[in-house]
């Protein structure tokens, strides 16, 4: 299989937080701006993050024909 690389635009999560994704070398990376939120207050962004991530992975699967599986721990 040839190398697959794909990048997303910045996706808004609320309160000035955004996330963008890069898929390369069979790894998914997320870049939060201005920083990764943490603690109880940070958890409120989890649903928006998952929606953004899932949208990116849908685009990746459609573009490449790959099957994509995410395991949240």
């Amino acid at each position: 299989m040839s190398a697959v690389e794909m990048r997303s635009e910045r996706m808004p999560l609320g309160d000035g937080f955004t996330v963008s994704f890069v898929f390369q070398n069979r790894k998914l990376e997320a870049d939060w701006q201005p920083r990764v939120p943490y603690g109880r207050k940070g958890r409120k962004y989890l649903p928006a993050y998952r929606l953004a991530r899932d949208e990116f992975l849908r685009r990746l699967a459609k573009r490449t024909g790959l099957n994509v599986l995410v395991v949240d721990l």
Side-chain angles (χ1 to χ4, degrees), residues 2 4 9 14-15 17-18 25 27 34 42 47 52 59-60 62 73:
S2 62
V4 174
E9 72 280 7
D15 300 327
F17 286 99
T18 63
N25 300 322
K27 293 180 185 174
R59 293 177 196 173
L60 176 69
K62 184 176 180 180
L73 300 175

Side-chain angles (χ1 to χ4, degrees), residues 38-63:
Y38 57 91
R40 282 183 209 256
K41 290 184 180 181
R43 288 187 204 130
K44 79 178 190 176
Y45 302 104
L46 193 53
Y49 166 80
R50 287 181 175 150
L51 284 172
R53 180 199 62 196
D54 292 350
E55 175 58 27
F56 175 72
L57 292 175
R58 270 191 289 278
R59 293 177 196 173
L60 176 69
K62 184 176 180 180
R63 179 177 151 204

